[in-house]
Amino acid sequence: MNKTAKAYISLFKIRVAESFQYRMAAFSGVLTSLVWAFVDVVAFTAFFRYGDRAKFAGGLTLEQTISHIWVRELLLFLQPFSIDDELLLKINNGDMGLEMCRPLDLYWHWFARSSARCIVMFVMRCLICFAVGFIIPGGYGARSPVSPGAFWLFVPSACCAFWLSSAYGMLVTAVRANIAWGDGPMYFMLLIGQVLSGGYLPLQLWPNFLQPFLLLQPFAGLTDIPARLYIGSMPLSEAWLGMGVQLFWSAAFILLGKRILSCRLRTIAAQGG
Amino acid sequence: MGECRLYFRFLRMHLLSGLEYKGWWLMILQVLLTCVLDPLGTILMFARFGSIGPWSMERILLIYAMAVTSFGLAESFCRGFDYFPMKMIRTGDFDRLLLRPRSLFTQAAASFFHIHRLSRPAAGAAMILWCLRRQGIPLTPAHIAMLIMALAGGFGVYAGVLVMTSGIAFFTVKALEWIVVFTNASYQVTRIPKEYMPWLLKNLFTFLVPMLAVSYYPATVICGWGESAWLGWLALPAGGAFLGAAVLVWRVGVRHYKSAGS
């Protein structure tokens, strides 16, 4: 292993150790996730049980939808809610100039940093929330994957989702590095990612005519594709397609992100003193 | 009176400095899009599943819109309290407010203002009007009075949540995420028809944080869904009482303030 790789790994470790210190914050996050999931589960149950057209609705079953909600909470750390707050600060106050002095590739350095943050959120919030979901009774709780095969395809697909999420986060960070535009474009990109990831509503409950588009667009890979494998609404024989979509878009985001960042660095304007 | 002038001078200053950024209109667009897309899940579910008994999409969205508009108003005009834990306590900037011979409450409330936050109440108000129209309910003076009162009460409730958060922030700044339960997550609860709402959620949002008192009950009075009318008129007193309680928490917090900055 060469020195550069070691540097990235230790950056990753520092960030993880740093973020693990806030245990109360994690508890608070778990509570929020649980309430959010619970409200969604109750709302969907009302639709499935009492909706006038519930019998002919198609899409997913109630059990699948509830499982989807809990898987969404498990993969919440992949949702593009924000970019790394420390990187944002560095961009805003001019410390970005300092970052450029390091003998590391800025893109991969930041990539390691921001994906470390996600890992912490996964362990301290998502995993705990999902575990609590399992003990909720009355059909409202989380369920195990439909089959062992589904589980063993869900895991690699979730890893692809992690890669995709980090790549997209870096693309947004690279765009945000253009300070003069403020926060607008960044939030715009984050929002589109959140909606199309299936976090608002499982993509298979969207209108039927949109389905081919929804599967192939980049953000399905963040939550919906792993969740489909988990709840069994995507045949296991089609898993290669799902993961192919995820990897394709990851590669596209990385290439684009690197390009935008390097263009940006050529005419960098450091803010602050 | 002087405090009021100060508040609006602050707002004007923040407004003008915000307009210096090239992308400021993008933010308005972005928040507007967020607000339009937020009920998207509900709308698509109604499209697929149809109404839930008497609960049509227009009814549910009306209750939702009243809560969202209230939240938007509070978030726009008490933005300072929204940012308070991170940008005032954590950095120690609150010290500076203490040095000025003006009301702390006004200064804190006006310490931030972002024009794009107004998109939420604007979108919410448009949705209220659309829902009323779709249900064929005319805007009589009595209905307008009820709406304004409900929104004023709602402003009190959500401003109260933000002020209370700021009060708690004097003791801890890191573990405040649960407050989302009473802000952005709270109006998601309005998507559930009242009969099917679990006991816990219903009581939590009626008696602890009176969110349903400023959304569901006024809406039922305007549209006549058979709850008794005086419950709707409770919106303003409930909102006022909650804000009052929040101010007390804030005062306790201020008294315990120990500077944090360097």
Side-chain angles (χ1 to χ4, degrees), chain A residues 22 25 28-29 32 36 40 44 47-48 50-53 57-59 125 180-181 184 187 195 200-201 204-206 208, chain B residues 22-23 27 30 33-34 37 40 44-53 174-175 177-178 185 188 191-192 196 198:
Chain A
Y22 300 109
S28 173
T32 312
W36 203 282
D40 267 2
F44 280 122
F47 275 109
F48 274 95
Y50 310 105
D52 291 347
R53 290 203 299 274
R125 173 169 178 171
W181 278 86
Y187 283 125
V195 174
Y200 279 41
L201 181 73
Q204 284 167 314
L205 288 176
W206 287 49
N208 292 334
Chain B
K22 263 194 275 180
M27 280 300 277
Q30 180 267 327
L33 198 66
T34 310
L37 289 180
L40 179 72
L44 291 178
M45 283 302 276
F46 273 109
R48 197 175 264 274
F49 286 84
S51 308
I52 304 176
K174 261 291 171 181
E177 217 208 309
W178 57 270
Q188 305 297 338
R191 294 178 306 164
I192 309 169
Y196 308 123

Side-chain angles (χ1 to χ4, degrees), chain B residues 24-36:
Chain B
W24 67 269
W25 53 271
L26 255 172
M27 280 300 277
I28 294 188
L29 222 62
Q30 180 267 327
V31 180
L32 203 61
L33 198 66
T34 310
C35 303
V36 173

